[in-house]
Amino acid sequence: MSSLEVLLKDESTRNIRRLLKVVILITIAGAAVSSRLFSVILDPWFNFRASKYLVKNGFYNFWDWFDDRTWHPLGRVTGGTLYPGLMVTSGAIYHILRMLSMPVDIRNICVLLAPAFSGLTALATYLFTKEMKDESAGLLAAAFIGIAPGYISRSVAGSYDNEAIAIFLLMFTFYLWIKALKDGSAFWGALCALFYFYMVAAWGGYVFITNMIPLHAFVLVLMGRYSPRLYVAYTSWFALGTLGSMQIPFVGFLPIRSSEHMAALGVFGLLQIVGFVEFVRDQVPSRQFKTLLKALIFIVFALSSAVLVLLTVSGVIAPWSGRFYSLWDTGYAKIHIPIIASVSEHQPTAWPAFFFDLEMLIWLFPAGIYMCFSTLQDQHVFVIIYGIMASYFAGVMVRLMLTLTPVVCVSAAIALSNILDVYLSIKTPAAPTAGAPSVNERKEKKPRVNILSAGKDSIVGVYSKASKIAVIAAFSIYLFVFVLHCTWVTSNAYSSPSVVLASRMPDGSQHIIDDYREAYYWLRKNTPDDAKIMSWWDYGYQIGGMADRTTLVDNNTWNNTHIATVGKAMSAREEVAYPILRQHDVDYVLVIFGGLLGYSGDDINKFLWMIRIAEGVWPDEVKERDFFTPHGEYRVDDGATDTMKNSLMYKMSYYNYQSLFPAGQAQDRVRNAKLPAVGPTLSILDEAFTSENWIVRIYKVKDLDNLGRDHLSAAAFDAGKKKSKRTKANKGSQRKLRVV
Amino acid sequence: MRFFAPIVGFLSLASTLLPTVLADSKVSKFTSLTAGSKLKGIVRLTDALYTEFTSAPRNYSAVVLLTALDQRFSCALCQEFQPEYELLAKSWVAKHKSSDGLFFGELDFADAKATFQKLQLTTAPILYLFPPSTGDNVDVAHIETPYQFDFTQYGVPAEAVAHFISQHTSHTPPVVRPFDYVKFGTMAGGVLVAIAVLSIAFSIIKPIIYSRNLWAAISLIAVLLFTSGHMFNHIRHVPYVVNDGRGGVSYVAPGFSNQFGLETQIVAVLYALLAFATISLAMKAPRIEDPTGQKAAILIWNAVLLVGFSFLMSLFKQKNGGYPFFLPPLF
């Protein structure tokens, strides 16, 4: 026995191995945390505001919090419309640290929460994978999830969103479920329900767990793998978990009244019947009786499904909500809920995105799934189902790459650890002597029918040291490149928060474009505290957080009509928009314009969605067709339609823009269009602020005219009679516009 | 002013009375035409009737379909829309025996070339909606110029046209699709046959359903399809390959968030190859008993893995120009 083998196998060195394991896990957690610290900017601001409120006013006030700084004039009943898990977590950490007399600012906790929880995710993944194969696979999986860009994308420092803690909860709940299933233990089932409750409190994606666990149980029953262990684990999880999830006000009675949750209920019922039948079968060993029982199961199952359908049709049970339904019927959202289809995260995923986020794991993933099939215990069925479902969802929506990443890491770790097990073994088998029956021949050899039977012969081992070294060397290089890839992706793509844009100068140096913060700071310093800002909902949280001003709509898109109102104001003519602005007390309007810099995420590019959402509510007044030329083109240059040119959004984006260029040379660098020689005029708005690179433009809504005229005629009057005054005013506004 | 009010009222009454009488006579005429029509609920128009049908004064809403049903014109959309239009008209007259102020007319190109020429129409089908020009629901802006239904945006379903009519007039035409007994019968029969076949042949099918190989194959194919961007192709309807303008085809789409059909298939095959090489190395190779054979197998699979992965990375580099990494032998 070599000395290394003594170290690895001997009882006396068990402590050393345990220590090694702990050290490795801590190192992985450390790597996971540190790779998320490339740059730190807190976002989304709403969650931070909510956490501050929670820490300052206590938990009960937080439940009753009515936020009048958003959704003006409606306000938002915050306690009942959010998942409080994230804020409560950071609030709890804050109070614990204070109790240990370590006063830490709540802001720092919010910033570092996501990296800290990614360390915990690595631990949860280790535990989960350990249940699938062994500890070495677990360590590999932990290392993968620690640095996989697919997960880093949502958990860099400062990304203070629900997903930051949700992935840890997801993996840990799954681990507890597998543990409960393996041991048939109500204790682990109850723990699983507890963490399920935490997950429900933290993220809307809990529905994934709500359907994954029943699906696993259902498949096991279909495979004829029903066991008392399954019964105990599932029923304890379902009963406690459902009760728990109903404690969250935002969820309330959904678990018994919506279609998303019906699968769990149905499988619960099915397990009762199957359990009863299995019990009776043990007592009465008659063949006829068994057939009768089978028929009974079938009839009861069919009947309860029919009742379920009936309840859904009659409206007692809500049908699938649009957000989830659009995952199955992929064309649904585009037609019926443009607000969901408009979000870039909800677009389907092209293959480079998979490779970008997972690199070599993406091809180790199917290999791991295959290996799960070759062992196929109850817990492997779970990984297979999870893998298929998650890869479908990730294909439909970019955002759901997040739920795919953990299972890819687990599966890839299983595959890679199989490779390492074979090729890192020091033992070399003796070469078979000629004539002697080989290991496998000694067993009666059957003709191969099973393609999975590669795993059925017994392992001989690898004879040649050179082969071992070649394979291990190749995989070491792949792993090394994987680490490089992850670092590169993280530092390049996922560490530039949306608030600050980084660009490369021709000489290669980095140039920071900080227009957003410049504009928000301007709002904070130059507008009254109770000013109402209208912008598209994408910027609602940022304005609320950084500029501390009241917004009309924000990223919590709970009220479609209100968003459509903003869309209508943006897409309407000035005289139509003005009453809307007045009715909503709007003081300032903010638009994002990328034409000067070539920043493609600007409002003119998002404009079609605003029109579509508005058209959904006012089909008579806003028509998408009017914004397209007769040839079906979306244009902003001379060929743009009159509706387009007269829309408030177009005017606000291009107002005064022509003055930057020599006459007739104005150029939009995003849409590569030469703009009309004469720029748009604005009569209901005054330009208040334009940022350094023209990305953010803010307009002040004019007060009613002193003489009771409408603004158009007032402007015409000014233009006709008081030319000298107008040029003076123009000069004043131009001084504010800094030109790069 | 108050003194003049009755006079003004009387004058306006007189000025509206004459067209009302004229329009009323038209209503009774078209009601009888609708009732006597061969196509249920639709007035077959001619050049003369079209003018009378659509001209002011109207105290009814007139929907006119200008179509070209004759096979010679090979107007696919006309053929496709015809049954939907008939369904819409039929549903309306079934509920409203005396038409109640909404008429459906149809003008075929074969009967009325003059109208097509007069309106300078070169395409068909065209669906006009003339709202009332007198009466309570008068729509001043559209007395002479009708609303036009946009087939390209809303397609041909009768429901879409019904929605279009309800948007612009006070009518909300119902669409009652007749229950399709044939379809129901075939469906029910099919289900019964399927159940019968299943129960009879269950002993044969059972090993297939419970076959681990089958499920493994299905699962792996599903995973490979989804992770190589098949859903993107499905949702966005991307082309399979694109002509590159130099006589050849380009099979790799430029840009990070775009792809072609063939490209995703290449990627899927590549993933499958790499996964299979991994499986062979991990599970097949250590079970080979012949040392030389084993050595060769390991060497080959290792090489396949390297070349495949290298090719994958170079493909990714094509998509993402700034990607700094590569593996030999391909750069």
Side-chain angles (χ1 to χ4, degrees):
Chain A
M1 229 185 248
S2 69
S3 60
L4 190 65
E5 212 153 314
V6 171
L7 184 71
L8 290 175
K9 290 272 148 62
D10 195 54
E11 278 294 301
S12 62
T13 55
R14 202 185 335 152
N15 285 335
I16 299 179
R17 271 180 283 139
R18 193 168 287 165
L19 183 72
L20 262 178
K21 235 182 303 171
V22 171
V23 168
I24 292 173
L25 270 175
I26 289 175
T27 320
I28 288 173
V33 172
S34 56
S35 67
R36 285 161 168 81
L37 301 177
F38 278 102
S39 78
V40 179
I41 281 192
L42 193 55
D43 191 59
W45 275 74
F46 170 74
N47 291 336
F48 172 57
R49 257 182 70 217
S51 307
K52 258 202 323 207
Y53 188 91
L54 172 70
V55 167
K56 207 170 134 197
N57 299 301
F59 188 64
Y60 288 103
N61 285 325
F62 178 67
W63 269 150
D64 299 334
W65 182 27
F66 180 80
D67 186 3
D68 59 355
R69 303 284 290 179
T70 61
W71 295 94
H72 185 83
L74 309 172
R76 176 180 170 199
V77 189
T78 311
T81 56
L82 55 43
Y83 292 99
L86 185 73
M87 296 98 199
V88 173
T89 306
S90 43
I93 295 174
Y94 174 80
H95 285 298
I96 290 170
L97 286 180
R98 272 171 67 96
M99 222 158 61
L100 301 172
S101 47
M102 285 200 291
V104 179
D105 187 10
I106 182 76
R107 175 193 294 254
N108 298 335
I109 295 173
C110 293
V111 165
L112 290 176
L113 194 74
F117 266 83
S118 68
L120 288 176
T121 308
L123 182 71
T125 312
Y126 162 78
L127 292 169
F128 182 83
T129 317
K130 202 178 91 180
E131 296 301 318
M132 295 299 152
K133 192 172 172 287
D134 51 19
E135 288 169 344
S136 56
L139 288 174
L140 272 173
F144 287 158
I145 192 90
I147 58 171
Y151 176 40
I152 288 189
S153 63
R154 289 317 202 90
S155 59
V156 287
S159 109
Y160 183 55
D161 212 343
N162 292 337
E163 286 93 333
I165 61 171
I167 296 303
F168 159 68
L169 293 171
L170 182 83
M171 282 320 278
F172 203 68
T173 312
F174 283 157
Y175 160 69
L176 291 170
W177 161 247
I178 294 296
K179 194 85 186 157
L181 177 67
K182 266 183 157 179
D183 296 353
S185 135
F187 168 69
W188 288 105
L191 266 185
C192 178
L194 185 71
F195 273 86
Y196 172 69
F197 162 68
Y198 192 0
M199 176 77 177
V200 177
W203 193 37
Y206 76 88
V207 177
F208 185 60
I209 304 184
T210 320
N211 286 293
M212 264 309 294
I213 292 179
L215 186 62
H216 183 209
F218 185 61
V219 169
L220 288 180
V221 170
L222 281 188
M223 289 169 79
R225 292 192 177 198
Y226 170 83
S227 63
R229 290 179 291 113
L230 177 65
Y231 182 84
V232 171
Y234 188 83
T235 45
S236 51
W237 166 75
F238 178 75
L240 293 172
T242 307
L243 278 179
S245 63
M246 287 163 74
Q247 307 307 312
I248 310 294
F250 193 26
V251 177
F253 276 87
L254 280 183
I256 52 171
R257 299 214 42 181
S258 82
S259 292
E260 287 103 60
H261 300 78
M262 281 306 122
L265 183 66
V267 170
F268 179 72
L270 179 74
L271 278 182
Q272 306 308 320
I273 303 165
V274 175
F276 173 69
V277 168
E278 291 289 319
F279 174 74
V280 174
R281 172 184 290 179
D282 289 345
Q283 316 297 323
V284 189
S286 137
R287 233 182 100 77
Q288 283 81 357
F289 196 67
K290 268 184 203 164
T291 324
L292 199 72
L293 279 178
K294 259 185 198 162
L296 180 78
I297 294 187
F298 185 75
I299 289 168
V300 171
F301 193 62
L303 268 181
S304 47
S305 313
V307 169
L308 214 63
V309 169
L310 206 71
L311 283 176
T312 313
V313 171
S314 66
V316 177
I317 297 172
W320 284 79
S321 69
R323 230 165 258 254
F324 295 108
Y325 188 74
S326 61
L327 281 177
W328 299 110
D329 184 352
T330 46
Y332 180 81
K334 211 173 163 186
I335 304 167
H336 299 281
I337 10 179
I339 197 159
I340 291 182
S342 74
V343 181
S344 64
E345 286 176 344
H346 294 169
Q347 305 307 318
T349 319
W351 79 264
F354 282 99
F355 188 81
F356 191 69
D357 276 352
L358 298 161
E359 217 245 351
M360 71 182 290
L361 306 184
I362 196 68
W363 54 263
L364 281 174
F365 172 43
I369 295 281
Y370 177 91
M371 286 164 196
C372 283
F373 263 107
S374 71
T375 31
L376 206 66
Q377 286 162 320
D378 291 353
Q379 65 268 32
H380 297 124
V381 177
F382 186 81
V383 174
I384 293 164
I385 301 171
Y386 182 9
I388 296 170
M389 298 313 280
S391 48
Y392 171 77
F393 292 142
V396 176
M397 259 189 211
V398 176
R399 178 185 189 181
L400 295 177
M401 190 69 96
L402 191 65
T403 49
L404 174 68
T405 306
V407 73
V408 169
C409 290
V410 169
S411 181
I414 292 172
L416 189 62
S417 116
N418 265 317
I419 294 255
L420 297 184
D421 283 351
V422 170
Y423 293 93
L424 272 184
S425 159
I426 297 170
K427 247 189 272 174
T428 303
T433 47
S438 71
V439 190
N440 289 333
E441 272 164 16
R442 253 176 271 145
K443 299 188 291 182
E444 283 172 48
K445 236 186 175 175
K446 282 179 193 158
R448 263 189 198 176
V449 271
N450 200 329
I451 31 167
L452 286 159
S453 65
K456 296 289 180 288
D457 294 347
S458 54
I459 291 181
V460 184
V462 180
Y463 297 105
S464 144
K465 273 223 171 76
S467 318
K468 285 182 188 171
I469 291 171
V471 172
I472 293 303
F475 272 89
S476 307
I477 292 171
Y478 302 156
L479 284 172
F480 186 65
V481 172
F482 174 65
V483 172
L484 288 180
H485 174 96
C486 292
T487 322
W488 178 78
V489 168
T490 309
S491 63
N492 276 288
Y494 292 141
S495 295
S496 49
S498 53
V499 179
V500 180
L501 309 166
S503 74
R504 296 252 171 235
M505 297 301 260
D507 60 347
S509 66
Q510 201 177 39
H511 179 64
I512 297 288
I513 295 158
D514 207 0
D515 282 40
Y516 282 101
R517 287 200 298 176
E518 184 193 348
Y520 296 146
Y521 195 68
W522 184 90
L523 275 178
R524 187 185 266 268
K525 289 292 169 195
N526 294 285
T527 59
D529 188 48
D530 60 349
K532 278 86 184 168
I533 318 284
M534 183 176 94
S535 73
W536 191 234
W537 62 263
D538 295 24
Y539 319 109
Y541 277 175
Q542 289 176 358
I543 296 172
M546 293 198 211
D548 191 26
R549 291 294 173 267
T550 309
T551 55
L552 258 66
V553 291
D554 66 25
N555 308 41
N556 173 285
T557 52
W558 65 275
N559 188 326
N560 187 41
T561 315
H562 213 51
I563 290 178
T565 308
V566 172
K568 184 181 166 190
M570 294 286 197
S571 54
R573 301 172 62 87
E574 279 187 86
E575 55 269 27
V576 180
Y578 191 66
I580 302 177
L581 299 182
R582 294 292 301 183
Q583 279 160 13
H584 291 82
D585 303 339
V586 176
D587 297 308
Y588 291 89
V589 186
L590 180 148
V591 288
I592 305 298
F593 172 66
L596 182 66
L597 213 64
Y599 170 56
S600 61
D602 68 352
D603 276 347
I604 291 277
N605 276 0
K606 290 177 186 166
F607 194 28
L608 279 180
W609 289 110
M610 303 182 199
I611 296 162
R612 269 174 216 157
I613 291 168
E615 190 180 6
V617 178
W618 292 279
D620 297 340
E621 297 175 59
V622 184
K623 291 196 182 64
E624 188 185 348
R625 190 71 195 79
D626 295 343
F627 291 84
F628 285 99
T629 62
H631 300 290
E633 293 163 307
Y634 181 67
R635 290 173 70 164
V636 295
D637 54 7
D638 269 324
T641 62
D642 281 342
T643 319
M644 180 77 188
K645 281 182 179 166
N646 287 320
S647 66
L648 199 61
M649 173 58 75
Y650 182 90
K651 287 185 165 187
M652 286 192 291
S653 291
Y654 294 111
Y655 184 66
N656 261 340
Y657 185 58
Q658 275 76 359
S659 64
L660 282 183
F661 297 86
Q665 301 286 311
Q667 182 86 20
D668 182 327
R669 294 191 180 121
V670 175
R671 289 153 283 269
N672 280 326
K674 203 166 145 251
L675 294 169
V678 182
T681 54
L682 275 171
S683 55
I684 62 162
L685 301 170
D686 278 325
E687 184 173 1
F689 175 80
T690 294
S691 63
E692 185 184 352
N693 300 299
W694 286 60
I695 288 184
V696 187
R697 309 197 68 185
I698 300 171
Y699 292 86
K700 184 166 171 37
V701 180
K702 278 188 193 165
D703 206 346
L704 289 172
D705 187 65
N706 282 339
L707 298 176
R709 301 167 295 184
D710 65 84
H711 286 100
L712 204 65
S713 53
F717 182 76
D718 285 348
K721 300 277 166 153
K722 301 181 178 176
K723 213 149 199 171
S724 56
K725 204 172 177 185
R726 186 182 146 79
T727 37
K728 219 171 163 186
N730 242 355
K731 242 185 226 162
S733 70
Q734 262 172 356
R735 212 179 305 134
K736 252 181 274 168
L737 314 174
R738 278 173 285 153
V739 178
V740 255
Chain B
M1 279 310 280
R2 198 173 296 165
F3 174 72
F4 284 110
I7 301 177
V8 172
F10 178 76
L11 281 178
S12 65
L13 191 70
S15 67
T16 51
L17 210 60
L18 188 69
T20 315
V21 173
L22 203 71
D24 278 344
S25 73
K26 277 163 76 178
V27 167
S28 56
K29 179 178 180 185
F30 286 113
T31 311
S32 65
L33 274 176
T34 306
S37 171
K38 235 188 283 172
L39 283 172
K40 209 172 173 204
I42 298 178
V43 185
R44 285 306 290 253
L45 299 170
T46 57
D47 285 330
L49 264 180
Y50 175 83
T51 320
E52 193 183 346
F53 189 51
T54 59
S55 61
R58 304 178 300 268
N59 59 354
Y60 53 86
S61 303
V63 182
V64 192
L65 173 68
L66 297 119
T67 186
L69 287 175
D70 199 309
Q71 292 298 338
R72 280 175 299 162
F73 307 119
S74 64
C75 170
L77 196 60
C78 304
Q79 307 285 352
E80 205 183 327
F81 183 60
Q82 188 63 23
E84 293 291 317
Y85 191 61
E86 284 168 16
L87 176 73
L88 183 69
K90 204 170 136 194
S91 310
W92 177 255
V93 291
K95 283 265 166 63
H96 306 263
K97 289 276 182 287
S98 52
S99 290
D100 295 344
L102 175 64
F103 292 101
F104 293 89
E106 183 174 329
L107 187 75
D108 199 320
F109 182 65
D111 307 335
K113 291 198 179 63
T115 306
F116 274 79
Q117 271 161 14
K118 197 174 78 191
L119 297 172
Q120 297 178 331
L121 298 177
T122 52
T123 55
I126 283 171
L127 188 80
Y128 284 140
L129 169 63
F130 292 88
S133 69
T134 60
D136 298 337
N137 301 311
V138 61
D139 186 346
V140 184
H142 290 87
I143 290 178
E144 293 302 326
T145 49
Y147 293 102
Q148 187 176 350
F149 180 74
D150 188 353
F151 283 102
T152 48
Q153 193 179 352
Y154 301 107
V156 297
E159 286 83 359
V161 183
H163 181 69
F164 166 73
I165 294 171
S166 66
Q167 264 183 355
H168 298 299
T169 66
S170 55
H171 307 288
T172 44
V175 177
V176 185
R177 290 190 185 272
F179 188 74
D180 194 342
Y181 289 100
V182 179
K183 200 174 168 193
F184 177 75
T186 41
M187 283 275 281
V191 170
L192 282 178
V193 168
I195 291 175
V197 167
L198 269 180
S199 53
I200 293 167
F202 188 67
S203 54
I204 306 166
I205 296 171
K206 193 182 169 185
I208 300 175
I209 292 181
Y210 281 90
S211 153
R212 207 188 274 191
N213 293 335
L214 181 76
W215 287 107
I218 292 174
S219 309
L220 286 182
I221 289 171
V223 164
L224 285 171
L225 275 182
F226 294 145
T227 52
S228 61
H230 173 76
M231 288 317 291
F232 186 94
N233 296 352
H234 179 77
I235 294 169
R236 291 283 170 82
H237 306 289
V238 299
Y240 189 68
V241 283
V242 161
N243 206 317
D244 66 353
R246 294 190 300 269
V249 289
S250 61
Y251 58 90
V252 178
F256 186 72
S257 46
N258 199 6
Q259 60 183 15
F260 294 147
L262 181 63
E263 180 185 348
T264 56
Q265 287 175 6
I266 293 172
V267 171
V269 169
L270 215 52
Y271 286 169
L273 185 75
L274 290 168
F276 190 69
T278 313
I279 294 164
S280 304
L281 279 178
M283 303 179 75
K284 298 236 165 80
R287 289 178 168 84
I288 298 173
E289 285 167 33
D290 170 29
T292 351
Q294 189 192 53
K295 203 170 177 177
I298 291 176
L299 197 71
I300 289 168
W301 285 122
N302 212 5
V304 166
L305 207 57
L306 183 69
V307 174
F309 195 18
S310 165
F311 180 60
L312 183 62
M313 284 185 110
S314 70
L315 200 62
F316 183 70
K317 202 170 181 153
Q318 275 187 52
K319 304 291 289 186
N320 187 349
Y323 190 62
F325 307 116
F326 61 87
L327 272 177
L330 298 166
F331 295 94

